[in-house]
Amino acid sequence: MNEAKKLFEHTFATNYMNLKSILPSQEKATEQALEFAKLVIQGQNIGESLVEQWSLEMYMKFNVGFDIIKTSVLRSDEVGNWYSPKLLFGAFFWTRYRDYLIRVKNWDQEAVDSIDDSTNEIMRSLGNPEDIYPFDKRGLVLGYVQSGKTANFTGLINKAYDVGYKLIIVLSGVHNDLRAQTQLRLDEEVIGSRVDKTGKPVGVAQIYANTPNHIISSWTTVERDISSGTKRYF
């Protein structure tokens, strides 16, 4: 029974997060995701009343029908219309990171939705990496201590790679211990290259491994920062 419920919840979560960016409403995405979730547990002798209970739990867990406070955004210029969350439907890096937060780190769905919404707002303020004309976009994200700022820019980096950005530079402070800490976090939650002492994947690679078309290289490591010798790569 527990395995059936886990399968139901996982199927719902994966489909709901993908569908809510392309369907006209949260409710429509929920209905469609529930249909998929019910299909995968057919033949497992799960009573209708229990399935309805699980469905109600999904409504509550994913805050369907509830208003979530949106991140405040201030802009001095109008944003372009190049970006839409629909661009991330089936995206490799963001989907993997989102599932990692939910399935491995056990983040509340509301927290993941908040990161999704806030990074979408930032993406809208960026330039289109596929544009033939140059652009210069600058901004600032403010947040309280331990408010999820690292998770926010980690999500943003994953989305940026998905839409076509090729080079991302993270300035993580003047102290090497903080730089190493940030490097470790991004190795685990963006690059997907870390393994433990037994060779098992750590971080987003636990969701799925990199593919030949989805490999990110880093000029730095936990032990080594950019130096004069690194210039040969530029």
Side-chain angles (χ1 to χ4, degrees):
M1 190 68 70
N2 287 337
E3 290 301 317
K5 186 176 183 181
K6 287 180 181 178
L7 178 61
F8 181 91
E9 291 179 347
H10 173 63
T11 304
F12 175 87
T14 300
N15 285 282
Y16 171 76
M17 297 301 292
N18 285 326
L19 290 168
K20 75 170 188 172
S21 64
I22 61 174
L23 293 181
S25 69
Q26 188 183 28
E27 287 74 17
K28 290 288 185 182
T30 303
E31 292 172 5
Q32 192 73 26
L34 283 174
E35 290 301 316
F36 287 122
K38 291 174 182 177
L39 280 173
V40 298
I41 60 169
Q42 280 187 350
Q44 297 196 35
N45 297 320
I46 308 298
E48 184 176 342
S49 61
L50 188 55
V51 173
E52 290 305 313
Q53 178 183 326
W54 293 351
S55 300
L56 179 59
E57 290 176 6
M58 294 301 96
Y59 271 89
M60 297 176 66
K61 181 177 181 179
F62 287 82
N63 297 297
V64 179
F66 297 93
D67 292 328
I68 299 176
I69 298 175
K70 300 294 183 181
T71 304
S72 297
V73 179
L74 297 176
R75 295 187 177 95
S76 59
D77 301 316
E78 290 294 323
V79 298
N81 59 3
W82 73 274
Y83 177 77
S84 165
K86 293 180 181 180
L87 291 174
L88 297 175
F89 181 72
F92 182 89
F93 292 107
W94 165 249
T95 303
R96 181 171 71 166
Y97 178 59
R98 182 199 65 206
D99 289 357
Y100 168 72
L101 292 178
I102 295 172
R103 294 164 53 189
V104 178
K105 300 190 77 172
N106 296 314
W107 279 39
D108 290 338
Q109 186 62 46
E110 185 173 349
V112 178
D113 286 344
S114 179
I115 290 176
D116 190 15
D117 291 338
S118 61
T119 50
N120 280 339
E121 288 298 327
I122 299 171
M123 290 295 297
R124 291 180 63 228
S125 298
L126 300 181
N128 183 356
E130 305 295 337
D131 201 330
I132 61 174
Y133 300 104
F135 57 84
D136 183 355
K137 301 286 186 179
R138 308 183 188 198
L140 176 68
V141 177
L142 296 176
Y144 292 106
V145 174
Q146 298 297 318
S147 63
K149 295 186 295 298
T150 304
N152 182 283
F153 74 68
T154 301
L156 183 68
I157 291 172
N158 277 291
K159 288 185 177 183
Y161 277 125
D162 279 325
V163 300
Y165 277 86
K166 303 300 183 185
L167 173 63
I168 294 173
I169 299 173
V170 178
L171 304 177
S172 55
V174 297
H175 299 293
N176 193 56
D177 55 348
L178 179 58
R179 184 208 63 80
Q181 178 182 334
T182 304
Q183 176 82 45
L184 181 64
R185 182 86 172 262
L186 295 179
D187 283 350
E188 292 182 358
E189 300 188 356
V190 177
I191 298 174
S193 61
R194 294 194 64 82
V195 295
D196 63 18
K197 294 180 179 180
T198 65
K200 293 182 179 179
V202 176
V204 293
Q206 295 176 80
I207 302 301
Y208 42 80
N210 295 326
T211 70
N213 294 325
H214 299 93
I215 296 177
I216 300 172
S217 298
S218 174
W219 291 335
T220 59
T221 67
V222 173
E223 296 79 17
R224 178 179 57 81
D225 193 5
I226 289 284
S227 66
S228 59
T230 315
K231 63 184 180 182
R232 67 181 183 273
Y233 295 109
F234 289 88

